[in-house]
Amino acid sequence: MKVIGVLFGMEQTFPPALVERINSMHEADVRAEFVKVGAIEMDALLDYDVILDRISHDIPFYRSMLKVAALGGTVVVNNPFWWSADDKFFNYALMTRIGVPIPRTVLLPHKQHPPGTTSESMRNLVYPLDWDAIFAYVGFPAFLKPHAGGGWKHVYKVHSPEEFFAAYDQTGDLCMVLQQAVEFTEYYRCYCIGRRWVRVMPYEPRNPHHERYRASWTPTIERLAQIEDLTLKICTALGYDFNTVEFAVSDDVPYAIDFLNPAPDAERSSVQEENFEWVVQTTAEYLVELARRGRKVPTQYTWSEFIGKRKRP
């Protein structure tokens, strides 16, 4: 029996709907369940052929457990090794190399020293920074946001140096980026599953959370194809098999704004019924496909063997 495990946290609708959908497909020798684990022995071989990870970014215990699961051949979506190593600023830089439009972005040092460090730890850092050059490059308005964060936490829109410094002073020891704000006429959020299936959703980030999928614009066929192609290009480059990508369109250019979302929101109340149905059904079919392919037992026990598995499964 092939077993698909769903690892999740505070979500209420997506995980149970996904498990129910997989089991209702009545695939011979494939079933789904919620992951249950206790203390993990270092030579453990978990019972799951596939695990969909929705929570390890918040729970280090789960992240380490998933790496050990991969060591035993469990297929983990998304790859916990690559996810651990990834950050938004690297992704922005990578996309500029492969031709994806990206707003001008600068990586900034921590406002406060990270725990366990002092000014002596920062001897290689130029001080003071050339803020005039930074502001001239990025421009205003701009967004100040964590270089690796998500969920719109610690995100500030600033319109002047004074607003920037007021926000920067609140960021503590977080590593931040300052990014050109794109004044968009269209905005899209896209699910991408298996680096093959894309759901392009008009999205209005300025609306209240429960109304963000109710946008006032309707994409053309050409726009849908353009956004879908860019989404596949991004997720293929990064190796994510469950991700969301966001685009802000200005002067007919779709700028990729946010695409490090390997555990994206999929709750029925926020993504709306049609999108919820699509993501449940598509994810179910993809996980069953992975389960049927079987475990991926390592051929070499090197770090690159695990982090390097970014080819399409």
Side-chain angles (χ1 to χ4, degrees):
M1 176 67 71
K2 304 290 188 181
V3 181
I4 298 169
V6 179
L7 182 69
F8 68 104
M10 293 185 289
E11 293 176 285
Q12 299 298 318
T13 58
F14 176 59
L18 178 61
V19 168
E20 181 181 357
R21 183 65 54 87
I22 292 171
N23 291 335
S24 71
M25 293 164 67
H26 301 296
E27 294 285 337
D29 299 324
V30 177
R31 65 178 172 85
E33 63 182 41
F34 299 147
V35 171
K36 291 292 184 182
V37 293
I40 307 295
E41 297 178 358
M42 63 183 181
D43 58 351
L45 184 64
L46 276 71
D47 294 332
Y48 302 100
D49 298 275
V50 178
I51 293 177
L52 177 66
D53 172 21
R54 304 284 297 163
I55 190 60
S56 76
H57 56 291
D58 287 333
I59 311 291
F61 166 76
Y62 286 150
R63 180 60 58 84
S64 189
M65 177 273 289
L66 290 171
K67 291 177 180 177
V68 172
L71 188 65
T74 298
V75 178
V76 181
V77 179
N78 284 290
N79 184 325
F81 294 89
W82 175 239
W83 193 350
S84 298
D86 201 10
D87 69 74
K88 288 187 175 183
F89 186 69
F90 170 78
N91 289 352
Y92 294 139
L94 176 62
M95 291 308 117
T96 63
R97 304 303 197 276
I98 64 173
V100 175
I102 299 292
R104 296 185 298 274
T105 309
V106 172
L107 180 68
L108 300 174
H110 312 262
K111 172 61 180 179
Q112 297 176 5
H113 299 313
T117 67
T118 69
S119 58
E120 292 185 350
S121 307
M122 313 301 288
R123 290 173 177 173
N124 297 101
L125 182 66
V126 172
Y127 184 84
L129 295 179
D130 188 345
W131 291 110
D132 289 339
I134 293 169
F135 298 149
Y137 173 72
V138 175
F140 289 105
F143 282 100
L144 180 66
K145 55 187 179 180
H147 91 300
W152 288 86
K153 298 175 183 176
H154 308 291
V155 175
Y156 307 87
K157 187 173 185 180
V158 294
H159 300 82
S160 66
E162 292 74 22
E163 288 188 13
F164 165 80
F165 287 117
Y168 189 47
D169 287 345
Q170 300 178 54
T171 60
D173 61 3
L174 293 173
C175 183
M176 307 293 287
V177 297
L178 185 65
Q179 184 173 78
Q180 171 196 7
V182 176
E183 300 302 327
F184 59 85
T185 53
E186 304 167 51
Y187 198 101
Y188 298 95
R189 196 165 200 253
C190 310
Y191 279 115
C192 186
I193 296 175
R195 286 173 268 171
R196 280 180 282 168
W197 300 284
V198 176
R199 175 81 168 180
V200 179
M201 302 171 289
Y203 186 77
E204 176 51 276
R206 296 167 294 199
N207 282 349
H209 184 76
H210 66 286
E211 295 183 350
R212 289 181 179 174
Y213 290 89
R214 297 172 182 168
S216 60
W217 48 86
T218 300
T220 63
I221 294 175
E222 293 76 15
R223 178 73 74 215
L224 287 172
Q226 180 187 41
I227 296 295
E228 181 174 337
D229 287 346
L230 286 171
T231 298
L232 291 170
K233 190 173 188 178
I234 289 169
C235 291
T236 298
L238 297 177
Y240 285 122
D241 295 306
F242 194 117
N243 194 17
T244 54
V245 180
E246 296 183 17
F247 295 93
V249 181
S250 178
D251 294 328
D252 207 37
V253 177
Y255 292 93
I257 300 295
D258 187 23
F259 41 93
L260 177 53
N261 298 295
D265 178 18
E267 286 293 273
R268 187 194 303 267
S269 60
S270 59
V271 304
Q272 308 302 311
E273 189 62 37
E274 290 186 5
N275 297 325
F276 181 79
E277 171 60 26
W278 183 91
V279 76
V280 169
Q281 183 63 31
T282 307
T283 305
E285 293 176 3
Y286 179 57
L287 296 181
V288 167
E289 176 186 322
L290 291 179
R292 291 211 168 280
R293 294 181 189 176
R295 291 173 176 260
K296 286 188 176 181
V297 179
T299 57
Q300 299 180 46
Y301 291 106
T302 62
W303 178 264
S304 60
E305 170 76 4
F306 297 99
I307 202 169
K309 288 182 178 177
R310 292 165 57 192
K311 294 185 293 184
R312 181 175 295 170

